[in-house]
Amino acid sequence: VVLGLGLATLVAPTDGSPCIRVLPYTPGVRIAGIMLEASKQDVQQNYSDERDCPDGIASLLEWGNPNVNDDRGSSTNPGVLTDIFARVGGSNPDRTVSTDVIMRIHSSNVVGDNLWLWRADHVNLQPGETANYPLNPSDEASKLPRVSDHYYQVMKDECKVATGLIVNGDDVTIHGLAVEHTEEHLTIWNGERGNVRFYQSELPYDVSHASFGAKGYTGYMVASHVKDHDAQAVGVYSNFRDYIVTVDTAIRHPIEETKGKEINVEEAPLSGGKSDMVKDAFVVHLDNFGRIMSVVNGKGGEASEQGKPVRVAVGVDSLN
């Protein structure tokens, strides 16, 4: 059991190894009440131990090992993550802090309850620094909105992290999951029989269309080989602050014609097919530029009116 009192903060080592690693074949581990924080990575530093970062991908929490494929865990004694919060930037004014992925779950039979994985959209000011928005409203040198005198708004290529959550294990359940502002797919689900109840995702503010929309990145992506997945109450929001970005679809999962086939999910059809994997999904255009063109697999309509949700009540089959 790892229990933090008052959201104890663990800062990641500078060699890319995680704040916490649960070794494979270790059922029943409980982790709760912890804040995980990224650090500035030392690119010249070798990983201290192959077990810390065996595939060279830096993260803040690793459950299991990416090179172990038969870690089934225990359905009667699952691993549990409760009240886990992670941040890449924020309290640390250094905008060069980074990681590759915030959290990876390789083991099967893991349960998550209330997880918040955040790439900072704003950070504390450095000593003597002022907020980076125009003090004079007529100043055209910056188009950043006036948010707060007390924060620096994160810009492109700062506080870098590609993905918030990657799930490789089977039978992973998460109730209450938030992933925000990462620069590629925010969540990638590779395991079978994943179960999610309530997912909140805000796309990054600072990306360009070339770096995000044109590459087909999404708020929630179920890999093309997955045959069984159940996500309900899935919300994805956009607030593209700096560039006009168009996202084809907020949520992508295999449809009947592609389930179980070896294809690139980004090349899968965006329309047609059944939707038994994602239910009660919606998208919202919060503010600023760009838009999300559809909710799930190209269905559901575009979110272009500020603050007005576009919903898919059950699944895309319910739409005409």
Side-chain angles (χ1 to χ4, degrees):
V1 175
V2 179
L3 175 62
L5 299 179
L7 280 180
T9 300
L10 302 179
V11 179
T14 60
D15 64 357
S17 56
C19 301
I20 298 176
R21 176 184 286 286
V22 178
L23 295 180
Y25 313 115
T26 313
V29 173
R30 304 289 191 269
I31 304 173
I34 299 290
M35 174 73 78
L36 309 174
E37 185 167 315
S39 61
K40 182 177 180 179
Q41 300 296 300
D42 185 349
V43 296
Q44 303 300 321
Q45 185 175 0
N46 293 322
Y47 299 125
S48 58
D49 191 314
E50 187 182 70
R51 293 174 300 174
D52 291 334
C53 200
D55 58 357
I57 295 177
S59 71
L60 304 186
L61 187 146
E62 292 275 316
W63 200 298
N65 188 305
N67 298 327
V68 174
N69 299 319
D70 61 348
D71 180 9
R72 303 301 310 150
S74 171
S75 60
T76 58
N77 188 23
V80 179
L81 288 159
T82 304
D83 297 334
I84 303 298
F85 306 94
R87 60 191 178 195
V88 181
S91 66
N92 188 339
D94 187 347
R95 291 122 217 185
T96 64
V97 299
S98 67
T99 191
D100 296 323
V101 180
I102 296 177
M103 180 182 295
R104 296 197 296 174
I105 301 175
H106 309 289
S107 303
S108 297
N109 285 293
V110 176
V111 176
D113 175 23
N114 191 27
L115 310 183
W116 180 67
L117 313 179
W118 183 64
R119 172 184 174 243
D121 59 282
H122 63 277
V123 301
N124 284 340
L125 296 174
Q126 296 175 351
E129 186 179 30
T130 58
N132 57 334
Y133 59 76
L135 297 178
N136 182 346
S138 64
D139 183 3
E140 294 297 330
S142 172
K143 296 182 179 180
L144 292 178
R146 187 181 184 112
V147 175
S148 171
D149 294 343
H150 305 292
Y151 296 110
Y152 171 93
Q153 296 177 67
V154 171
M155 305 294 290
K156 192 172 184 295
D157 295 325
E158 296 177 331
C159 299
K160 291 188 67 61
V161 53
T163 298
L165 175 67
I166 297 178
V167 177
N168 295 320
D170 297 335
D171 301 295
V172 173
T173 296
I174 303 178
H175 291 176
L177 171 61
V179 182
E180 298 189 309
H181 310 144
T182 67
E183 298 167 292
E184 298 181 10
H185 291 300
L186 277 73
T187 292
I188 300 174
W189 208 289
N190 294 313
E192 292 290 346
R193 296 175 297 282
N195 185 290
V196 173
R197 294 295 183 272
F198 180 78
Y199 176 79
Q200 181 263 320
S201 176
E202 188 175 52
L203 302 179
Y205 295 178
D206 52 326
V207 292
S208 67
H209 181 72
S211 68
F212 193 83
K215 293 186 176 181
Y217 293 137
T218 62
Y220 192 91
M221 197 271 280
V222 182
S224 62
H225 63 266
V226 173
K227 298 179 180 179
D228 189 356
H229 188 84
D230 184 8
Q232 298 186 30
V234 177
V236 179
Y237 322 136
S238 74
N239 178 20
F240 295 117
R241 184 194 62 203
D242 301 337
Y243 302 94
I244 297 174
V245 180
T246 301
V247 173
D248 286 338
T249 197
I251 303 157
R252 194 188 298 270
H253 65 79
I255 57 178
E256 196 66 33
E257 290 86 345
T258 63
K259 263 192 295 188
K261 296 181 180 179
E262 292 298 326
I263 65 169
N264 184 337
V265 70
E266 294 182 5
E267 298 173 354
L270 285 177
S271 61
K274 294 177 63 177
S275 177
D276 55 358
M277 289 189 175
V278 176
K279 303 177 180 67
D280 298 314
F282 68 96
V283 296
V284 181
H285 171 68
L286 293 180
D287 202 356
N288 291 304
F289 306 114
R291 63 189 62 186
I292 300 172
M293 299 303 295
S294 66
V295 183
V296 184
N297 286 351
K299 296 286 187 175
E302 70 177 59
S304 56
E305 184 176 342
Q306 183 176 356
K308 183 178 180 180
V310 177
R311 305 177 186 275
V312 173
V314 177
V316 298
D317 274 349
S318 65
L319 300 175
N320 295 324

